[in-house]
Amino acid sequence: MWAAEEILRLKEQPGYADIELIVALPFEGHDLKWDAISKKRLQTIIHNAAKCVIVGQNGDASDYKKRNYYMVDHADILLAVYDNNRKIRSGTGQAVNYALKQNLRIIFLDPDTAEIS
């Protein structure tokens, strides 16, 4: 969500209005157990996005994988807030690994140091 919020802020700056934010959700109701603040943040992002796509229907882990693949398949560049620690399994790591296989350009932003690589 942080990255989406940053994209929306960037769109307000001169020269960046043509950036398009598309929200990809794994399935309806994936956020049912989220706290109220996180749900509100997501709704604000969806409201301000160019489009919201729901990629799955099962409500299981396979829908998260479909969502990750959808994002990579529809991206020009992947901005991954990720420390590249391959010992930790995560959805971001799954998306990064798939992007590498697809030869997609990836910009890594370390979540602890904000170092870009």
Side-chain angles (χ1 to χ4, degrees):
M1 283 196 295
W2 172 84
E5 291 166 337
E6 290 304 310
I7 294 296
L8 291 173
R9 277 193 271 284
L10 184 62
K11 284 181 61 66
E12 296 173 0
Q13 303 302 314
Y16 294 100
D18 61 335
I19 294 175
E20 186 175 58
L21 176 64
I22 298 172
V23 176
L25 301 178
F27 55 88
E28 288 274 357
H30 77 283
D31 61 341
L32 285 176
K33 295 181 181 178
W34 289 14
D35 63 88
I37 293 171
S38 296
K39 287 181 181 182
K40 176 125 175 78
R41 286 176 66 197
L42 178 60
Q43 288 307 311
T44 299
I45 290 166
I46 291 170
H47 177 76
N48 290 291
K51 182 166 68 168
C52 180
V53 177
I54 300 168
V55 297
Q57 299 175 359
N58 299 326
D60 60 21
S62 70
D63 287 342
Y64 288 96
K65 184 175 182 178
K66 288 177 196 170
R67 187 263 328 260
N68 292 341
Y69 283 21
Y70 176 91
M71 290 188 300
V72 170
D73 290 340
H74 291 84
D76 296 320
I77 297 171
L78 178 64
L79 171 60
V81 181
Y82 185 63
D83 66 2
N84 211 14
N85 182 345
R86 305 237 191 264
K87 296 176 197 162
I88 300 172
R89 292 181 49 132
S90 69
T92 304
Q94 182 183 67
V96 165
N97 289 330
Y98 180 64
L100 288 167
K101 290 176 187 170
Q102 301 304 311
N103 294 314
L104 185 66
R105 181 172 174 225
I106 304 171
I107 299 170
F108 290 99
L109 177 61
D110 188 288
D112 298 319
T113 65
E115 181 180 331
I116 296 172
S117 61

